[in-house]
Amino acid sequence: MTEREELLERLDNVSSESEVADIADNLLAINPRDPYGLFASWGLLEHDEQQERLDMLYEAYEATHSLLHDKDVQDPYSDRDSMLFMSISLYLGFALLEKGEGEEALTVGHTLTHHDEENLCSSRALLYAAMAQLNMWNEILDYLMEDKAESIAGAYAEVLAMLETDEPRKDVDEALFDAVSLDPRIPLYIIGILELKDGEEISNDLEPD
């Protein structure tokens, strides 16, 4: 086992930020463009610093994308590099959306959905959010018709797109009912009645609680 492999194995089992920082520093000492080291270091920054250092995330994104280009990955969900790429893509895409860079976020979102065909890594949440920021309402409806992966994000994106394109009220009501049946909490988060707790995420699982 190489030194890098040992560091990656340690990274899978760390329990403190100081350990993550130490491993990241060692990975970057071996290779300043190591995507695992870059992503780990970026993840330790405060939110404002993360937005200022998106160059680190971009570099990790590009390095991992190049790495996957030379690999024959049969199952992206059991491949370490593929899972890293999908995680980086999700963080990068939403960071770009926060900066109002919808076009770039959409590009990242499309690339991510290509790798995350089953939507196990929430790629559709990023894709539809980018489309919504760009007011691509018809495109959302077209994509939903072709997309084989169901998602809570897609269900609510459909409702918004139907409202924006003046679809019949009956059809909008049916779409809203379907979306709420998947997760009734989403509208409450949107209008601020509910807030996510630290570390909590809205589940993308379509199975009932």
Side-chain angles (χ1 to χ4, degrees):
M1 183 180 293
T2 65
E3 180 183 357
R4 181 175 184 270
E5 289 171 338
E6 290 179 358
L7 289 168
L8 292 180
E9 189 171 292
R10 282 179 56 200
L11 192 60
D12 290 336
N13 300 289
V14 291
S15 57
S16 70
E17 289 188 355
S18 61
E19 289 179 277
V20 173
D22 180 63
I23 294 170
D25 288 344
N26 279 285
L27 285 168
L28 294 174
I30 296 171
N31 176 9
R33 296 189 69 248
D34 188 288
Y36 291 90
L38 288 168
F39 188 43
S41 293
W42 182 85
L44 293 173
L45 300 175
E46 296 295 329
H47 179 74
D48 290 345
E49 291 179 300
Q50 288 181 336
Q51 288 296 102
E52 293 173 1
R53 292 304 314 272
L54 283 187
D55 59 303
M56 293 174 65
L57 209 52
Y58 264 118
E59 192 167 4
Y61 174 84
E62 292 171 356
T64 316
H65 196 208
S66 298
L67 185 63
L68 290 176
H69 183 72
D70 298 326
K71 291 181 65 174
D72 181 20
V73 178
Q74 300 298 319
D75 179 10
Y77 303 107
S78 62
D79 181 80
R80 180 199 289 269
D81 295 332
S82 291
M83 290 300 296
L84 176 69
F85 178 73
M86 289 188 277
S87 295
I88 292 172
S89 299
L90 201 61
Y91 277 97
L92 177 59
F94 278 111
L96 290 168
L97 284 178
E98 187 174 332
K99 294 182 68 175
E101 298 178 8
E103 291 283 359
E104 290 189 50
L106 182 63
T107 299
V108 174
H110 275 302
T111 303
L112 176 56
T113 56
H114 175 73
H115 291 268
D116 182 29
E117 292 184 359
E118 298 179 29
N119 195 43
L120 299 183
C121 295
S122 301
S123 57
R124 302 319 189 268
L126 171 59
L127 184 67
Y128 294 128
M131 286 182 169
Q133 188 174 99
L134 297 169
N135 297 317
M136 298 173 62
W137 307 114
N138 287 311
E139 288 85 349
I140 286 175
L141 295 174
D142 290 342
Y143 192 90
L144 282 164
M145 291 187 67
E146 300 294 330
D147 193 12
K148 296 178 181 179
E150 289 186 278
S151 67
I152 294 169
Y156 279 97
E158 182 176 25
V159 175
L160 291 173
M162 292 177 76
L163 287 169
E164 292 289 340
T165 55
D166 295 322
E167 295 292 325
R169 180 57 184 268
K170 179 184 176 183
D171 294 341
V172 176
D173 288 345
E174 288 179 0
L176 179 59
F177 178 82
D178 290 341
V180 171
S181 69
L182 293 176
D183 193 330
R185 300 169 298 165
I186 302 298
L188 302 179
Y189 286 119
I190 292 173
I191 63 178
I193 293 177
L194 291 179
E195 293 184 1
L196 289 175
K197 299 176 183 178
D198 290 343
E200 181 185 4
E201 296 181 356
I202 297 175
S203 174
N204 192 45
D205 189 354
L206 295 181
E207 294 295 326
D209 294 336

